[in-house]
């Protein structure tokens, strides 16, 4: 049995063409979409003065 985590899902909606470009970039750079979105959110909130 796998242990439970405190992670929860956040869904975003983007245009199909943007999604294709983002997914292609992630594959090319060997990074997960989840990690990219997590970094983007942290950076955004840091710039807003919110510590996550």
């Amino acid at each position: 049995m796998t242990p439970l985590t405190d992670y929860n899902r956040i869904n975003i909606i983007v245009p199909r063409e943007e999604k294709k470009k983002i997914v292609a970039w992630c594959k090319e750079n060997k990074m997960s979409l989840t990690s990219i979105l997590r970094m983007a959110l942290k950076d955004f909130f840091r710039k807003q003065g919110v510590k996550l």
Side-chain angles (χ1 to χ4, degrees):
M1 181 174 193
T2 57
L4 297 176
T5 65
D6 288 337
Y7 290 100
N8 289 298
R9 182 172 299 209
I10 295 177
N11 294 319
I12 63 167
I13 299 172
V14 295
R16 205 169 274 145
E17 288 304 313
E18 285 182 18
K19 180 185 175 194
K20 288 178 186 178
K21 290 177 185 178
I22 293 167
V23 169
W25 187 93
C26 288
K27 285 181 181 179
E28 182 179 310
N29 291 280
K30 296 180 173 75
M31 296 184 75
S32 72
L33 183 53
T34 299
S35 66
I36 298 296
L37 292 173
R38 191 177 297 135
M39 286 188 284
L41 281 170
K42 285 182 178 182
D43 186 52
F44 172 81
F45 283 109
R46 182 183 50 79
K47 288 178 181 176
Q48 300 301 315
V50 177
K51 185 177 180 183
L52 296 179

